[in-house]
Amino acid sequence: MDRDSEPAIPAYEPADVDLTDPSLYLNRELSALAFQRRVLHEALDQRNPLLERVRFLAIVTRNLDEFTMKRIGGLKQQIEADVTETAPDGRTPEEQLAAVHETLRPMLATQARCYRDAIRPALAAEGIEILDYDDAAAAEQSELRTYFEESVLPTLTPLSFDPAHPFPFISNRSLSLAVLTRHPNAEDPTFTRIKIPPNRPRLVQLGDDTRYVLLEEVIRANLDLLLPNVEIVDTALFRLTRNAEVRRNQEIAEDLIDMVEDVLEQRRFASVVRMELSPDADSRIRSTLATQLGLDEREIYDLPGPLDYRDFAELTDLDRPDLSLDEWTPQPHPRLNGHRQQSFGRPDTTDPSVFRRIQDGDILLHHPYHDFTDTVQRFLSAAAEDPDVLAVKAAIYRTASDSQIIQSLITAAENGKQVAVMVELKARFDEQNNLEWVRKLEENGIHVAYGTVGLKTHTKTALVVREEDDGVELYSHIGTGNYHSETAKGYVDLGLLTADRDIGRDLTKVFNFFTGPSLDEEFRELLIAPVTMRKEFTRCIRREAQHAQAGRPARIVAKINGLEDPGIVAELYRASMAGVDIDLIVRDICRLRPGLEGISENISVYSLVGRFLEHSRIFYFENGARGDPATEDDWGDPEYYIGSADWMTRNLDYRVEAVTPVTSPKIQRQLRFTLDLLLSDNRKLWEMDSDGEYHQRYPDDGERVISAQDILMREALKAGRSEDLITGIPGDYPIAGDLCITGDGTEQPTETGAESKPLTESEGECTVSDADTTDEPFEVTDGGNPDEVLATYSDRWYVPDSVVYNYAVRTPDGERRYLKTKAGVTDLLERLYSDTE
């Protein structure tokens, strides 16, 4: 379909609402920290197994380190560059930085209290003790002193700061011990920095027991062996975080590889943006560090030790199933599970190839429920070995350090296939890893593109070109996550394997852009940023508003990682005011305020934080699917999309992204089930209020606990005996969904216990297009008194058994409409019945 030929849909413009009003937008940085509070809650939540809480304690440190390096570092750069432009919420960079420090400080204090008052005592009660050095027995202290002298001391390099020695360089995120020493008869003490060695175990085990002393405590207690013949005046732990926002202008860089290597070198010596310091540190230690590192008071965080919880993740490897979540092993995909081995390891030659299975119908991959190695890796391995494959192309943003994906591409080249790889050198914090892969690929004669000027390549796509009996076929993989075997075990991502020729042709254009001079602006199926994606998402949102204005049911559900783009937020506000029911499952940053009277009453914002990181992107636009199209109408089928892009300005305008439509009714049903399930979660789901605060949903007394990730794991296990991950909504799960699926004659889902209405043959044959723009839209009125309207039409509505919707309205044609607000019910009832009664 040539989307450029479709008529433009004008924006719904409500009266008396200024969508540029800063009060309508939340701050990006504070929203990101709100997500980290939800992550921290997993460590605080006593319902979680103890070692799972420890894991999240470590995750919080890693996440807040990255936030500090990227976001605080970026704000400091803006301030130093005298940037005064305000963010959409009206704050200047200086105001944002002050708010960030004010928000971050109590979060880190809460993390420290969580360890000290909750997790450490709970571990001790379970026989896992983290002792202070002085609490170890005398014999144990003697063993620790021997260990220090033999295994730790030789690795240490004390660096003093005095007239004969410059202030030492202190690396990013390294844990250090500041020591004040005084020589006999000397008046002033000397400052010395000792780096806690990262190549020694941080948790020093006592004997064979699960009893530990922290390495920094062992070093502190034995300083007399490292610094003899001086008085130890005072010691203090500290830890620095440096700015990650160091850049060179790509437009003037002679060579992209040189530029990236230069960035990596600059990052090592970048300015310090935060220092964590023991709260009882001697004032001379504090002033020395602040002066030499150029820190002001707000950048110094006084925190009790331990200052770095990342190493505590080692405890999760203990053999304590009673303190851990049940282990999860990603499952083979049912559609690809015909790959069997006969005795003595000989392959079963009767098994159809992966390409034959894709030809039989599109395949949806859902990681980590599906095994990455058995699906994506198998697809590329088969391409490398198959003699009929002519070419293999892949876009790599992040990949594992021992990537089998890369090895498959090398094997393909060795087997004489044309191989082209896009490796994004500018993938933050993966630059060094990607540089090494670039060199290895080029050493094997593979053409590698490094990136594009002004854009990051964030798309997760692969293309296989195969010679078959009836001509050349194109096999595509479009994913939401990286080609990374390790993160695929802990990140929730989706991928589509398809032989759709139009999608293959679109991907061909994208890969040609990586090596050619320009990016095509016309695509048959894929939404491609930065050329078509913003326009197409805007069109879809406006189309829903048009359906709502015409009195038809209208709904948008988006599952994304971030909603930051002010333009998309404004479009969603307009759609809500037009009457569109909108559910947003946003893991992380969200600028939009739900529940604002007269503006976003029809919008709900949720966030799910669980054992796996929610990373998939799903977009659902109802497109009049619950309406009653006449034969001349060309709307009626819902549209589903998945892909690599979030609704953030960087994704829509400054990255190469790919989002694919999903047209298979079976796969649409799987996506619908996933969305309904997430919206029904009452164990890990959070809901945002209009102030930007989140509240976790809890089951009512006696209500069944619904954990979406747990259910999807169980469904993946059951699916081994089926052709799909989900064959339908399982009857034993009370899913309170209202998403509509057409095109295959299945039933429309309704609330639990409600009667389902089969689709008619005509409904199953509707095609996807724009709404009929010639329809006269209904005017959205203020309506009468809500309570009076509800009383007048008391037989037309009821309260459904739903955690998502507060009202259900019976329509004249026997359908049901589900709504969240009294105002929405009032308006709908008057639309449907005021002229007929």
Side-chain angles (χ1 to χ4, degrees):
M1 177 172 60
D2 183 2
R3 298 184 185 274
D4 287 337
S5 67
E6 296 177 353
I9 301 177
Y12 173 74
E13 294 295 351
D16 303 324
V17 176
D18 179 9
L19 291 177
T20 65
D21 183 350
S23 68
L24 299 182
Y25 299 87
L26 295 169
N27 181 263
R28 171 196 170 122
E29 318 304 345
L30 299 183
S31 183
L33 287 176
F35 168 63
Q36 298 306 332
R37 276 199 297 270
R38 299 193 292 279
V39 176
L40 177 57
H41 177 80
E42 292 297 297
L44 298 166
D45 193 342
Q46 297 183 17
R47 296 175 297 172
N48 289 331
L50 182 55
L51 292 183
E52 181 72 355
R53 296 172 66 186
V54 171
R55 184 172 76 93
F56 272 96
L57 202 69
I59 290 173
V60 169
T61 293
R62 186 169 65 245
N63 289 359
L64 290 179
D65 282 354
E66 185 171 322
F67 175 87
T68 301
M69 289 187 288
K70 291 164 57 176
R71 307 308 307 174
I72 292 182
L75 288 171
K76 281 199 69 173
Q77 280 189 331
Q78 292 181 49
I79 294 168
E80 290 165 0
D82 295 324
V83 174
T84 57
E85 182 181 352
T86 60
D89 63 297
R91 286 183 171 93
T92 64
E94 178 61 45
E95 290 170 334
Q96 292 182 72
L97 185 60
V100 163
H101 281 302
E102 184 179 346
T103 304
L104 180 57
R105 196 178 304 278
M107 287 177 60
L108 290 170
T110 298
Q111 181 192 28
R113 283 196 306 272
C114 175
Y115 169 75
R116 181 186 67 244
D117 298 341
I119 288 181
R120 185 180 179 185
L123 287 170
E126 295 292 345
I128 305 170
E129 294 185 85
I130 301 172
L131 303 173
D132 292 334
Y133 189 91
D134 291 340
D135 292 334
E140 291 173 328
Q141 290 185 15
S142 177
E143 292 176 6
L144 288 171
R145 188 171 178 84
T146 299
Y147 169 75
F148 171 80
E149 189 170 18
E150 295 180 353
S151 301
V152 179
L153 189 152
T155 71
L156 301 179
T157 304
L159 298 172
S160 294
F161 174 50
D162 56 31
H165 301 91
F167 189 80
F169 171 74
I170 302 170
S171 54
N172 185 35
R173 295 195 290 175
S174 60
L175 188 61
S176 298
L177 188 65
V179 184
L180 286 183
T181 61
R182 181 183 285 112
H183 285 276
N185 304 318
E187 182 177 348
D188 297 322
T190 298
F191 175 95
T192 299
R193 179 255 182 161
I194 300 168
K195 181 177 181 177
I196 307 302
N199 54 4
R200 296 281 79 193
R202 175 90 179 282
L203 297 168
V204 181
Q205 189 172 3
L206 296 174
D208 296 327
D209 299 327
T210 51
R211 301 171 71 243
Y212 307 90
V213 174
L214 292 174
L215 179 59
E216 56 263 35
E217 294 300 312
V218 175
I219 294 173
R220 192 201 303 260
N222 293 281
L223 283 174
D224 60 303
L225 297 176
L226 178 67
L227 305 172
N229 304 319
V230 293
E231 175 193 357
I232 306 297
V233 177
D234 194 28
T235 63
L237 279 173
F238 71 96
R239 183 170 176 265
L240 305 184
T241 312
R242 293 183 177 273
N243 186 4
E245 291 297 306
V246 291
R247 299 171 180 167
R248 278 186 59 189
N249 191 335
Q250 292 184 58
E251 303 286 352
I252 62 173
E254 296 84 2
D255 182 271
L256 188 56
I257 287 182
D258 287 344
M259 186 204 78
V260 171
E261 289 177 330
D262 188 43
V263 165
L264 290 172
E265 183 67 15
Q266 288 186 53
R267 192 177 287 162
R268 290 187 60 238
F269 299 97
S271 62
V272 177
V273 293
R274 180 186 65 175
M275 178 173 70
E276 299 161 276
L277 178 67
S278 297
D280 56 353
D282 187 289
S283 61
R284 289 166 291 188
I285 291 177
R286 186 185 189 89
S287 61
T288 297
L289 289 169
T291 300
Q292 296 300 318
L293 298 171
L295 296 170
D296 60 40
E297 268 305 309
R298 69 179 175 182
E299 295 170 320
I300 301 174
Y301 285 65
D302 295 301
L303 293 166
L307 296 182
D308 184 348
Y309 294 94
R310 290 176 297 170
D311 296 309
F312 285 73
E314 297 173 12
L315 296 174
T316 63
D317 294 329
L318 293 173
D319 186 19
R320 291 295 302 270
D322 56 318
L323 303 180
S324 308
L325 292 172
D326 293 339
E327 288 189 12
W328 171 249
T329 301
Q331 298 297 296
H333 193 290
R335 286 278 304 282
L336 298 172
N337 203 17
H339 188 66
R340 295 286 185 264
Q341 295 288 322
Q342 295 178 336
S343 58
F344 306 108
R346 290 193 298 270
D348 181 357
T349 56
T350 63
D351 175 45
S353 73
V354 63
F355 304 109
R356 168 71 177 278
R357 294 181 180 276
I358 298 171
Q359 281 285 359
D360 290 341
D362 292 354
I363 299 173
L364 183 72
L365 312 177
H366 203 173
H367 311 296
Y369 311 111
H370 291 144
D371 183 56
F372 180 85
T373 300
D374 189 60
T375 54
V376 178
Q377 174 59 52
R378 181 177 167 191
F379 171 65
L380 291 174
S381 295
E385 301 288 351
D386 190 325
D388 294 324
V389 167
L390 305 175
V392 182
K393 303 182 180 185
I396 306 294
Y397 189 72
R398 303 185 197 276
T399 191
S401 57
D402 58 347
S403 175
Q404 292 301 306
I405 294 288
I406 298 290
Q407 187 56 53
S408 291
L409 296 171
I410 293 172
T411 300
E414 292 173 345
N415 289 338
K417 306 175 193 316
Q418 293 186 23
V419 179
V421 183
M422 165 66 216
V423 179
E424 180 49 78
L425 291 183
K426 301 184 293 294
R428 195 180 338 235
F429 305 131
D430 273 86
E431 298 97 337
Q432 187 63 52
N433 187 52
N434 286 0
L435 275 172
E436 293 171 3
W437 283 124
V438 162
R439 293 181 175 119
K440 184 166 185 178
L441 288 165
E442 290 183 330
E443 287 170 2
N444 285 271
I446 295 173
H447 182 82
V448 182
Y450 309 143
T452 52
V453 173
L455 299 173
K456 273 189 179 181
T457 299
H458 193 248
T459 177
K460 293 89 166 63
T461 51
L463 179 68
V464 173
V465 183
R466 190 171 187 263
E467 180 76 59
E468 298 185 0
D469 292 341
D470 53 353
V472 173
E473 293 290 341
L474 304 176
Y475 296 89
S476 305
H477 174 261
I478 301 98
T480 69
N482 296 303
Y483 291 112
H484 197 302
S485 57
E486 289 306 308
T487 58
K489 297 174 183 176
Y491 285 27
V492 176
D493 273 304
L494 294 165
L496 184 72
L497 289 170
T498 181
D500 184 295
R501 192 159 190 82
D502 284 339
I503 290 177
R505 288 173 175 171
D506 284 351
L507 270 190
T508 299
K509 289 184 178 182
V510 174
F511 279 106
N512 287 343
F513 164 63
F514 295 145
T515 56
S518 63
L519 179 58
D520 202 318
E521 296 188 0
E522 295 184 4
F523 294 89
R524 293 175 172 86
E525 295 292 337
L526 297 181
L527 312 187
I528 299 296
V531 290
T532 67
M533 188 178 292
R534 177 183 289 278
K535 179 185 69 175
E536 290 306 315
F537 276 137
T538 300
R539 179 185 66 86
C540 290
I541 296 169
R542 290 182 178 181
R543 185 183 58 196
E544 292 303 312
Q546 196 172 66
H547 281 305
Q549 287 179 276
R552 294 185 285 270
R555 187 160 187 216
I556 297 170
V557 182
K559 179 184 183 296
I560 47 183
N561 298 330
L563 172 55
E564 173 271 341
D565 183 73
I568 294 293
V569 172
E571 291 292 343
L572 292 170
Y573 280 149
R574 292 188 183 99
S576 171
M577 287 183 278
V580 181
D581 188 14
I582 303 172
D583 284 308
L584 304 172
I585 307 168
V586 187
R587 186 197 74 205
D588 197 335
I589 298 165
C590 182
R591 283 200 189 274
L592 182 146
R593 293 181 183 269
L596 295 174
E597 185 176 356
I599 298 175
S600 58
E601 288 175 312
N602 294 318
I603 304 178
S604 295
V605 176
Y606 305 95
S607 176
L608 192 142
V609 180
R611 69 184 291 176
F612 304 131
L613 179 75
E614 289 291 337
H615 193 252
S616 59
R617 291 90 165 181
I618 308 172
F619 306 92
Y620 168 83
F621 302 96
E622 188 168 281
N623 191 28
R626 286 177 294 160
D628 186 17
T631 55
E632 66 272 13
D633 292 331
D634 59 357
W635 49 264
D637 281 350
E639 290 187 357
Y640 288 82
Y641 298 87
I642 65 170
S644 59
D646 292 307
W647 279 345
M648 302 183 72
T649 302
R650 68 184 187 189
N651 298 101
L652 299 171
D653 297 337
Y654 302 110
R655 290 183 172 185
V656 180
E657 303 273 13
V659 167
T660 182
V662 176
T663 57
S664 162
K666 288 185 177 181
I667 295 179
Q668 287 184 346
R669 189 161 63 246
Q670 294 175 32
L671 295 176
R672 181 205 67 194
F673 172 76
T674 298
L675 293 174
D676 274 337
L677 181 60
L678 291 169
L679 291 172
S680 300
D681 191 294
N682 59 15
R683 176 62 183 86
K684 296 292 186 179
L685 196 69
W686 298 73
E687 184 168 5
M688 188 207 290
D689 63 25
S690 59
D691 293 329
E693 296 296 323
Y694 286 81
H695 308 279
Q696 191 169 43
R697 182 184 288 169
Y698 285 83
D700 294 332
D701 291 341
E703 183 182 4
R704 181 170 184 174
V705 175
I706 301 175
S707 174
Q709 292 186 353
D710 289 346
I711 290 172
L712 287 169
M713 285 189 286
R714 290 197 289 269
E715 286 301 304
L717 288 169
K718 291 196 299 185
R721 301 183 295 275
S722 171
E723 292 185 353
D724 298 298
L725 171 61
I726 305 296
T727 56
I729 296 178
D732 54 343
Y733 299 121
I735 305 304
D738 186 39
L739 296 188
C740 185
I741 176 71
T742 64
D744 63 349
T746 59
E747 294 182 345
Q748 296 184 58
T750 63
E751 302 296 335
T752 302
E755 185 177 337
S756 295
K757 174 182 177 292
L759 295 174
T760 65
E761 184 176 353
S762 63
E763 285 174 315
E765 294 178 347
C766 291
T767 58
V768 179
S769 183
D770 277 334
D772 187 352
T773 57
T774 62
D775 282 355
E776 191 69 23
F778 280 81
E779 184 179 15
V780 180
T781 63
D782 292 335
N785 180 282
D787 292 328
E788 292 179 2
V789 173
L790 292 177
T792 300
Y793 304 110
S794 59
D795 59 335
R796 306 294 189 185
W797 65 275
Y798 62 94
V799 177
D801 180 16
S802 171
V803 295
V804 178
Y805 298 99
N806 297 317
Y807 302 93
V809 173
R810 298 182 178 91
T811 65
D813 57 4
E815 296 285 354
R816 293 174 179 82
R817 294 277 301 279
Y818 299 92
L819 300 102
K820 297 173 182 174
T821 65
K822 185 180 291 187
V825 173
T826 301
D827 183 67
L828 180 61
L829 287 169
E830 290 192 322
R831 287 188 196 179
L832 294 175
Y833 297 111
S834 61
D835 294 335
T836 61
E837 296 190 1

